Each structure stands twice: as C-alpha cells, then as structure tokens.
Amino acid sequence: LKYHDTSTGELVSQHRSQQGAVNQMRQNPANAVMHVGHKNGSVTLWSPASSQYLAKMQCHKGTPITALAVQGNYMVTGGSDRQVKIWDLRMFQETHAYYTSSGAIPTSLDISQRGLLGV
C-alpha cells in the first residue's frame, strides 16, 4: 500500500499487506480507513499512520475477495464462493449472508447514499 499526498505528489507512507496479492481496495468515506481484500478471503483495514493493519477479518474462507463496498459502519464483501456478506464494522461480525441468485461470482458492489446495495 502506498499513500501519496495528492496536493504535492509526495509519498506519505508505504506498507506491505503481509497477506499476499491484493484483489480489492476501498476507502471508507466516514473515516478514511482503507479496506483491502485478499486472495485468501480476508479483509484488512489500514491507516497511513500505522505500519500494521488495524484489523483483520476472515470474510470468505479459502476463496478470494472479488468485490468490496464500504460505507459508515457497514462493509459488504463478495467472494468467489458466490456469496455476498454484510458486516457490521462496530462489532466486526457478519450480519447477513446471501448467495447470488444467478450463481455468478459477484464482481462489483456499491452502497448508495440512501444505503441501498447494488450488486
């Protein structure tokens, strides 16, 4: 992970993910924490001020994270296990899990300003 100052272009900090290749990356607009999805099914949370991840969540066991969305206190993950899971970031717990209706792997997730999930 590399953090750059957008006004000057200078490198602010640089960290290794320690979890292998990064599949997905999203920033939480509420607190600027970066959510990074990995091939091993985990999501790590990062801040430029810390050289270690802030938290690690095992979201999809043994399958890569294929899609990621974050807004406020909620994170939504999609995995190659064809599941979409909703997580409460206050407790780091899964609140809901769904299989995609068509059996397709979710590749794009987004949460609207009204809190609706687009798959």
Side-chain angles (χ1 to χ4, degrees):
L1 301 170
K2 292 183 179 182
Y3 293 91
H4 290 270
D5 184 333
T6 56
S7 61
T8 63
E10 291 182 31
L11 182 66
V12 175
S13 64
Q14 180 176 350
H15 311 293
R16 290 195 166 274
S17 72
Q18 304 166 359
Q19 302 294 314
V22 172
N23 281 8
Q24 296 288 320
M25 187 182 303
R26 284 289 186 101
Q27 183 180 35
N28 188 337
N31 58 15
V33 170
M34 294 300 296
H35 294 243
V36 180
H38 302 279
K39 286 188 175 183
N40 64 0
S42 67
V43 175
T44 52
L45 282 60
W46 292 84
S47 170
S50 176
S51 61
Q52 289 284 354
Y53 51 78
L54 305 173
K56 178 182 175 185
M57 301 170 64
Q58 189 62 43
C59 298
H60 296 265
K61 293 181 180 165
T63 62
I65 301 293
T66 58
L68 188 61
V70 184
Q71 186 163 353
N73 294 323
Y74 294 96
M75 174 177 72
V76 183
T77 59
S80 60
D81 58 358
R82 294 174 170 78
Q83 281 192 300
V84 174
K85 296 183 178 184
I86 301 173
W87 301 85
D88 187 334
L89 295 173
R90 295 169 292 193
M91 299 178 289
F92 296 106
Q93 290 183 345
E94 178 184 318
T95 60
H96 301 292
Y98 306 97
Y99 282 95
T100 55
S101 61
S102 64
I105 295 172
T107 57
S108 179
L109 296 171
D110 208 359
I111 302 170
S112 74
Q113 290 178 344
R114 292 183 176 225
L116 300 174
L117 175 63
V119 180

